[in-house]
Amino acid sequence: MVAVSADRCYLIVVWTSTNKTGVCPMNRSLAILALATQASGCAVAANTAGSSGVATESSLMQADHDFADATHARGIDGWMSFYTRDAIRIQYRGNMVKGFDAIRKFDTAYISDTTNVLNWEPTDAHVFRGGDIGSTTGRYWAVSRAGANAGKETGRGRYVTMWRRDGARWLVIMDTGYPEPPTPAR
């Protein structure tokens, strides 16, 4: 799949099959494709998490890491590339935001804010019976990129993300987070 933005194109490769020895036969072809794509000025991202087609906690943890990487690399477009059309975002002490377009509208200002960066790291994953639904939990922290607070943490907390398998790929169906209470001054 090739995604094109105003100033870049992205080739996203998802490979989910291996040969009888468990080795992906497409490694050389992917490398050649990646080099050719980069030579033409495009960025390449290969998603091979869960390439065996089996839903595992490690494939879910990798999906959450890939979600963060895509958001850092492509902003709101990377963020939204992991959401289903029917996803919901539960605001801390607020209402639910329902659906892809509403989530994009709600999150654009914060995710696109160049003065802050949102970071997160999953600490736990669980795949539910049947293998089509899973969850990750973890911690998040925001860091200022500008002014007197550049490089300083501006907030932190915990999050829960619910995922659904779409073919071999994990996609977000629900996301929420809550801030940690401020540390008391001593």
Side-chain angles (χ1 to χ4, degrees):
M1 172 175 78
V2 176
V4 180
S5 70
D7 61 343
R8 295 188 178 164
C9 64
Y10 299 90
L11 175 67
I12 301 166
V13 179
V14 179
W15 184 255
T16 61
S17 168
T18 58
N19 64 19
K20 292 176 186 172
T21 64
V23 176
C24 178
M26 294 297 292
N27 285 343
R28 185 181 330 166
S29 297
L30 284 175
I32 292 168
L33 182 60
L35 289 172
T37 305
Q38 284 182 328
S40 68
C42 292
V44 177
N47 178 1
T48 57
S51 61
S52 66
V54 177
T56 63
E57 278 78 14
S58 64
S59 71
L60 190 50
M61 291 285 275
Q62 185 61 53
D64 205 333
H65 284 288
D66 292 346
F67 183 25
D69 291 345
T71 301
H72 289 141
R74 299 182 4 239
I76 192 67
D77 292 330
W79 174 261
M80 295 308 300
S81 71
F82 279 80
Y83 276 88
T84 62
R85 301 300 299 167
D86 60 343
I88 60 171
R89 287 258 294 120
I90 302 173
Q91 302 175 51
Y92 177 69
R93 295 190 176 175
N95 295 324
M96 268 192 267
V97 180
K98 297 178 183 180
F100 186 90
D101 295 332
I103 292 169
R104 183 179 187 94
K105 183 178 179 181
F106 176 76
D107 286 333
T108 293
Y110 185 71
I111 298 297
S112 300
D113 181 0
T114 59
T115 62
N116 288 291
V117 63
L118 175 64
N119 302 294
W120 70 91
E121 172 116 29
T123 56
D124 191 34
H126 181 76
V127 176
F128 298 98
R129 186 176 301 156
D132 291 336
I133 301 292
S135 66
T136 53
T137 59
R139 63 184 201 91
Y140 72 84
W141 64 101
V143 176
S144 176
R145 291 183 174 175
N149 288 329
K152 293 183 182 174
E153 191 174 278
T154 59
R156 65 175 36 237
R158 304 285 301 165
Y159 72 90
V160 176
T161 303
M162 297 295 298
W163 301 80
R164 178 174 62 215
R165 292 279 283 188
D166 181 17
R169 187 166 183 234
W170 286 106
L171 294 173
V172 175
I173 57 174
M174 189 281 303
D175 187 48
T176 191
Y178 57 93
E180 292 178 358
T183 306
R186 295 184 195 222

